Amino acid sequence: MEERDFFDERPEQRTHMMTCPHCGQQDEYQLSWLVRRKKSQLPRGADDRDRARFAKAQSYMVRRDDMVGCKNVRCRKRFDVAGIQSVAFI
């Protein structure tokens, strides 16, 4: 079995406060995340190794956006998303 058989995937938008490194303005930005929630039961056809992997599995989120554009009308430069982890456990 593969890892994706253990999880339900769904895209989600979350807001984060970030500061533009170019102009210094702080604002809220929408970041898209892929949320993988652990299924309540193990899928059919699992062997002992799959049961052990399923027991250790945890729900987590993966950040999909690496860059955002500044919301300041005068700046509008793109910058890297820094300070926010790319993978977060729920």
Side-chain angles (χ1 to χ4, degrees):
M1 291 194 135
E2 294 185 25
E3 180 185 355
R4 65 179 169 210
D5 297 333
F6 300 149
F7 297 98
D8 292 323
E9 289 185 359
R10 140 177 312 164
E12 192 173 298
Q13 296 282 330
R14 295 203 177 190
T15 59
H16 297 278
M17 291 294 292
M18 290 187 279
T19 304
C20 175
H22 305 289
C23 67
Q25 182 172 341
Q26 186 176 11
D27 209 341
E28 286 188 355
Y29 292 90
Q30 290 277 341
L31 295 179
S32 61
W33 293 80
L34 183 63
V35 179
R36 291 185 175 147
R37 297 199 187 274
K38 184 178 171 181
K39 291 184 177 180
S40 59
Q41 292 182 343
L42 184 66
R44 293 183 196 166
D47 60 2
D48 290 335
R49 278 188 309 165
D50 295 331
R51 284 187 187 90
R53 285 178 42 212
F54 183 76
K56 291 181 183 178
Q58 296 182 35
S59 299
Y60 65 98
M61 303 184 319
V62 178
R63 189 182 73 220
R64 298 172 81 186
D65 293 333
D66 289 333
M67 297 188 81
V68 293
C70 181
K71 291 186 177 182
N72 185 352
V73 179
R74 294 186 181 127
C75 181
R76 294 285 187 198
K77 293 182 182 176
R78 294 180 55 81
F79 61 93
D80 283 332
V81 176
I84 299 173
Q85 293 182 344
S86 60
V87 176
F89 290 102
I90 301 174

